[in-house]
Amino acid sequence: MAEAADFQGMTPSPARRWFRRTAALFAGAPLLAGLLQLPAAAPVAAASPTAAPAAPAGAGSGTVDVSVDRMSPNVPTDEDTVTISGKITNEGKQTITDAEVGLRVGPALTDRPSIDNAAKRSDSLRGAPGREVDGKNGKDATYTAAFGKLAPGVSQDFRLAVPVEDLDLSADGVYQLGVALTGRSAAQPYPQLLGIERTFLPWQSEAPSEKTKVSYLWPLISTSHLTAETASDEQQTPVFADDKLAEEVAPGGRLEQMLSLGKDLPVTWVVDPDLLASLDAMATKGYSIENPEGGNPIPGSAKNRTLAKQWLNQLQQAVKGKKVVALPFADPDLASLAHQGKTVGGSLSHLKPATDVAAKTVKSVLHVEPSTDFAWPADGAVDPSVVDVATSAGAHSVIARSDSLRETGGLPYTPTAARPIGGGTTAVVADARLSTAFEGDMTRAENSTLAVQEFLAQTQMITLQDPDKQRSIVVAPQRMPTASQAQSMARALDALGSESWTEPDDLIAAAKATPDPKATTQVPGTGSYPGRLLKHELPKQAFESVRTTQESLNRFKVILSAPDRVVTPFGRAMDRELSTSWRGRANDAETYRNSVQQYLTTLTGQVSLIEKTEAKLSGRSATIPITVQNNLVQGAENLTLRLTSTKPTRLKIGEEPGPYEEQPIKVSGGHSQTVKFTTTANANGPVPVVAQLYTEDGTPYGKEIRFDVDVTEITLTVMLVIAGGILLLVLAGFRMYTQRKAAARRAEEEEAEAEADDADNGENGDVQAKGDEGPEPGPPAPEQPSDPTPDTAPESTDPSGTGERVDR
């Protein structure tokens, strides 16, 4: 106790200090006399039935487990009675007799590391168990609970109530308070210390001159529940991956507890806008749940819609007049982006839109103006690359933690949280001990009680380090506390109260506090980033998957008549793919990414070409129909359909030079459009052709289709006509030739006869003159072949199909 009186920062009144020191001196005189005779008295003490010797130096935890399940009040005052209740359990193999549970008070602790060490050995029998509490000034009063017999495996409840004045606390400080069990067994027939549980008792008789400001973050964050899928109705009813979000906001659920507890606490609300957007969609639009067996989504219940609406209404009331910090939408994993995503093009481009939509979402749902000036890396671990990414979307404050941005100057006190780290950026360094105080299993009453008392002890020790200097500290607990962890956090904050050594503050004010000039401002190097956190980061493959989805979305949105119906849900889904909540759930994260990409692929495939296997060309010129099907609920436009001949010398498509022809496409939702291309055949045999959709910038869209155009029918018709015509020409030429030869022979014969007649006439004097009539008509002209009949039939209006005959 004398040591405690000299502890830095203890401020009892001079009169009280004089009285306590005098009392301690008188009380210590008999003790000193006893110590001087200790060697001779030791054997007697060991044999005494009432003595409880200290454990051997090598002793560990005893055979009895002592559980301190409740302590009230957590921070007592002069007039209070401290009540401690719990259980004792015989974990040995022998029955314990004459068992007695009592309270022990240890010395005041001197610094924060001593609190850490005491917490680690809270149930160890090593070291002094502390002074047993009995009646003040020797009056007849005992504060113990007796148990005649404690069988192996049996638990018994206990309850101790001790007035504060009988604890004989001197100066302000953090004291060890132990609940110890002594008893006998067959193997140890004399009283032994068989079990102990230590906790902390913060004691303050007078308020300090300067209270420590505490900013406690109260996170409303959940995992990703919404998928990219929405219904085709006007309001785009959302589809959830499961119904677990409704469970969280139901009475007793995790988020319900966070809200009901936090609304009465002096905290800073830190909100993931994705949570608000998901609950708002559930409450206002209705919702569906993915069918685990496939098929259509399952409609969500009206009861859960009501729960979501009630939770949001209560939150609106809770945040009125309070500070609200909005994280970027879906709480992106900044460290994963810094370490894995920076090398994947486009990864960082998601941060700014996520920050912009965060402010809009919080304002529209909660009707408050949030701060978007804070970035919160996982567990507050930072390095230069994490800081760069965290501030790339416009944040000027990074919530770090003291086990990452460590003090290197050997300060004897905990400095103010705000630290300028260069480039106009402030690191708000949360206290690691306080931030991790409730990360364990708080469902056990013992764990919760010990955690609350240690939290209070640490906060008081911060004030006692330098009671004349006010400092501002920040507590950033785990992102998603369980319901029991939230309850423990709330008990600790309630216990601090407004009359203790702290006063409430908010994160925004803490970031603007005057920095301690002696505090470290050096961001640790990349090599110091914790390996345990690196193991749980999103892999590079995750960012490549997001990039693939973004590229597919970019190609898809340009053909839509109402692109926002697709861009918005998929944009938010990609934000969710980068969420910090996937840490430690690598398989779930990959499943979610794949589901987003697969659904987008399904949607883009709703605008497609109908397959063809063959088309028959029955003339020199004909038309080939190609059908575009749109199974979306909105129109598809800004598309071009191109039909290409792989052998343009045999099959020409269109009138323009080149191997292909293009036509614009615009198809209403739920309809199809058939486009006809003119063709000209120049040779026989099948000709492969390719049909492909393109966007306006010439990017292929969807799958191409390939089919053959069979020009066999054109050969049978046209070639017969041509062959027949040639044959007729040959026959006509042959006939003309023979006729001319016959005419020449007749002319020679007639000339010979005429000469003979002339000779006869000359002899007879009879010369017959020729008349003026012309020569005899020659043989008729050869018949010319007629033009072939048309080789195309009337145009067909029926759509083409497998093996169909194309239109002409």
Side-chain angles (χ1 to χ4, degrees):
M1 298 303 176
E3 293 178 0
D6 296 330
F7 186 76
Q8 185 181 28
M10 300 177 182
T11 57
S13 65
R16 180 175 293 182
R17 286 199 300 269
W18 178 87
F19 175 78
R20 288 181 175 173
R21 288 174 180 173
T22 303
L25 179 61
F26 281 103
L31 178 62
L32 180 61
L35 288 174
L36 294 175
Q37 301 178 16
L38 184 60
V44 177
S48 171
T50 59
S61 297
T63 57
V64 177
D65 176 66
V66 180
S67 172
V68 177
D69 296 339
R70 183 172 176 81
M71 178 174 172
S72 177
N74 302 100
V75 182
T77 61
D78 286 334
E79 305 301 323
D80 287 330
T81 294
V82 176
T83 301
I84 297 178
S85 59
K87 287 184 175 63
I88 53 173
T89 305
N90 183 358
E91 296 182 339
K93 297 181 180 181
Q94 296 179 338
T95 298
I96 297 173
T97 58
D98 298 330
E100 186 177 84
V101 177
L103 203 59
R104 307 291 183 102
V105 177
L109 302 174
T110 57
D111 51 30
R112 298 188 72 184
S114 65
I115 297 177
D116 298 336
N117 293 331
K120 291 177 182 178
R121 55 180 181 84
S122 64
D123 62 348
S124 174
L125 297 183
R126 292 184 175 90
R131 171 179 54 83
E132 188 172 5
V133 176
D134 55 13
K136 186 177 180 181
N137 296 326
K139 72 179 181 180
D140 188 16
T142 58
Y143 304 108
T144 61
F147 301 89
K149 182 183 293 186
L150 194 61
V154 173
S155 296
Q156 298 273 5
D157 295 332
F158 70 86
R159 182 178 181 274
L160 303 175
V162 182
V164 170
E165 63 176 355
D166 283 355
L167 293 177
D168 195 22
L169 304 176
S170 55
D172 292 2
V174 177
Y175 291 86
Q176 293 185 74
L177 193 63
V179 178
L181 181 138
T182 58
R184 306 167 184 259
S185 65
Q188 299 171 328
Y190 50 86
Q192 292 274 331
L193 180 63
L194 302 177
I196 191 170
E197 183 65 79
R198 297 179 180 87
T199 185
F200 304 99
L201 181 65
W203 167 248
Q204 176 178 274
S205 59
E206 294 181 357
S209 57
E210 293 290 346
K211 294 184 177 183
T212 302
K213 293 184 177 181
V214 177
S215 304
Y216 204 105
L217 310 190
W218 203 254
L220 295 180
I221 301 172
S222 185
T223 55
S224 297
H225 298 280
L226 267 176
T227 68
E229 184 176 356
T230 60
S232 59
D233 53 7
E234 183 65 26
Q235 61 183 6
Q236 291 187 269
T237 300
V239 178
F240 284 70
D242 50 50
D243 219 3
K244 293 181 180 179
L245 184 56
E247 297 174 5
E248 291 194 77
V249 298
R254 187 184 71 84
L255 289 173
E256 187 275 335
Q257 286 289 288
M258 289 292 294
L259 177 54
S260 62
L261 295 168
K263 66 182 181 181
D264 298 322
L265 297 173
V267 296
T268 299
W269 298 89
V270 179
V271 181
D272 176 8
D274 181 30
L275 172 63
L276 303 183
S278 300
L279 288 169
D280 185 60
M282 182 185 292
T284 60
K285 298 182 179 180
Y287 73 107
S288 297
I289 307 167
E290 279 187 341
N291 191 334
E293 298 179 357
N296 295 329
I298 303 170
S301 70
K303 176 184 176 182
N304 289 342
R305 292 183 60 184
T306 301
L307 288 173
K309 188 173 183 179
Q310 290 175 345
W311 192 89
L312 289 175
N313 290 338
Q314 292 172 7
L315 181 59
Q316 290 173 4
Q317 298 300 317
V319 299
K320 282 184 177 180
K322 302 287 186 68
K323 299 297 183 181
V324 178
V325 172
L327 300 174
F329 194 92
D331 186 21
D333 192 335
L334 303 174
S336 293
L337 279 164
H339 300 148
Q340 309 295 335
K342 285 175 65 175
T343 59
V344 179
S347 296
L348 297 182
S349 65
H350 293 274
L351 277 181
K352 185 62 168 63
T355 301
D356 294 341
V357 76
K360 296 177 182 177
T361 301
V362 174
K363 189 173 183 179
S364 64
V365 177
L366 299 183
H367 312 301
V368 296
E369 194 73 41
S371 170
T372 58
D373 199 38
F374 292 87
W376 190 10
D379 287 5
V382 295
D383 62 24
S385 64
V386 173
V387 172
D388 289 344
V389 168
T391 57
S392 64
H396 296 91
S397 299
V398 179
I399 303 172
R401 209 165 71 182
S402 60
D403 53 354
S404 176
L405 206 159
R406 298 175 181 271
E407 289 303 317
T408 57
L411 293 179
Y413 57 84
T414 301
T416 289
R419 319 281 175 83
I421 55 175
T425 302
T426 299
V428 182
V429 184
D431 187 87
R433 290 184 179 95
L434 301 180
S435 298
T436 60
F438 304 102
E439 287 188 351
D441 177 13
M442 297 293 115
T443 58
R444 294 184 59 192
E446 177 186 25
N447 292 348
S448 176
T449 299
L450 297 180
V452 168
Q453 293 306 123
E454 185 177 356
F455 179 89
L456 297 171
Q458 291 284 2
T459 57
Q460 186 186 26
M461 190 63 74
I462 290 174
T463 301
L464 292 173
Q465 287 171 340
D466 194 346
D468 297 327
K469 181 177 183 179
Q470 187 175 63
R471 283 155 290 149
S472 175
I473 64 173
V474 171
V475 182
Q478 56 273 34
R479 271 176 152 77
M480 290 184 281
T482 64
S484 60
Q485 289 171 345
Q487 292 162 2
S488 300
M489 290 157 53
R491 281 197 292 271
L493 289 175
D494 279 335
L496 277 180
S498 59
E499 299 300 328
S500 68
W501 46 86
T502 65
E503 63 182 43
D505 200 8
D506 64 78
L507 179 63
I508 297 171
K512 297 178 180 178
T514 302
D516 190 319
K518 297 180 180 179
T520 183
T521 58
Q522 182 66 41
V523 177
T526 302
S528 64
Y529 191 84
R532 62 179 179 83
L533 295 179
L534 279 172
K535 290 193 300 183
H536 295 302
E537 288 185 349
L538 295 172
K540 183 178 180 181
Q541 175 188 357
F543 298 97
E544 292 172 345
S545 176
V546 173
R547 180 179 61 183
T548 299
T549 301
Q550 183 65 64
E551 292 172 348
S552 299
L553 181 62
N554 292 340
R555 290 191 296 269
F556 186 41
K557 68 182 182 181
V558 299
I559 75 162
L560 302 175
S561 59
D564 287 346
R565 286 179 61 92
V566 172
V567 172
T568 299
F570 274 99
R572 301 291 75 81
M574 283 185 284
D575 290 338
R576 296 182 187 103
E577 292 182 40
L578 304 179
S579 175
T580 305
S581 66
W582 296 119
R583 281 180 173 257
R585 301 191 299 136
N587 292 336
D588 293 340
E590 184 176 6
T591 299
Y592 185 84
R593 292 193 300 268
N594 291 341
S595 68
V596 173
Q597 181 60 46
Q598 289 169 4
Y599 182 60
L600 181 56
T601 301
T602 299
L603 287 184
T604 58
Q606 299 302 303
V607 180
S608 61
L609 301 173
I610 293 181
E611 288 285 344
K612 299 168 70 74
T613 58
E614 186 182 29
K616 295 180 179 179
L617 193 64
S618 58
R620 293 180 178 179
S621 62
T623 60
I624 299 178
I626 305 295
T627 301
V628 182
Q629 180 73 44
N630 178 14
N631 290 324
L632 298 172
V633 296
Q634 62 173 297
E637 53 191 31
N638 304 322
L639 281 169
T640 298
L641 176 58
R642 178 186 297 179
L643 186 64
T644 304
S645 172
T646 60
K647 298 179 179 180
T649 57
R650 296 173 57 187
L651 181 67
K652 178 70 173 63
I653 298 178
E655 302 297 332
E656 299 297 327
Y660 63 84
E661 183 181 14
E662 293 181 335
Q663 295 192 40
I665 297 295
K666 185 176 183 180
V667 191
S668 301
H671 291 75
S672 61
Q673 179 184 354
T674 299
V675 182
K676 297 181 179 180
F677 292 87
T678 60
T679 61
T680 304
N682 299 318
N684 62 339
V687 178
V689 296
V690 180
Q692 174 70 64
L693 288 170
Y694 288 86
T695 57
E696 284 188 329
D697 61 356
T699 302
Y701 181 88
K703 294 181 180 180
E704 64 180 26
I705 62 171
R706 290 176 173 268
F707 59 95
D708 290 338
V709 175
D710 191 354
V711 295
T712 302
E713 292 190 15
I714 296 177
T715 302
L716 292 175
T717 304
V718 176
M719 294 304 293
L720 286 174
V721 171
I722 295 175
I726 294 174
L727 180 59
L728 290 175
L729 288 175
V730 172
L731 293 175
F734 180 77
R735 183 176 180 183
M736 291 175 62
Y737 174 78
T738 54
Q739 287 178 343
R740 288 177 180 174
K741 293 291 286 183
R745 283 197 300 271
R746 284 196 299 270
E748 290 177 356
E749 291 175 353
E750 291 175 354
E751 184 179 355
E753 291 178 355
E755 290 178 354
D757 289 343
D758 288 344
D760 291 341
N761 290 334
E763 292 177 0
N764 299 321
D766 296 329
V767 178
Q768 182 177 352
K770 253 185 176 179
D772 293 334
E773 58 270 26
E776 289 183 13
E783 182 179 358
Q784 298 297 321
S786 63
D787 289 336
T789 59
D791 57 359
T792 59
E795 181 173 275
S796 170
T797 59
D798 295 333
S800 58
T802 302
E804 64 200 335
R805 184 180 300 276
V806 300
D807 294 339
R808 299 183 292 271

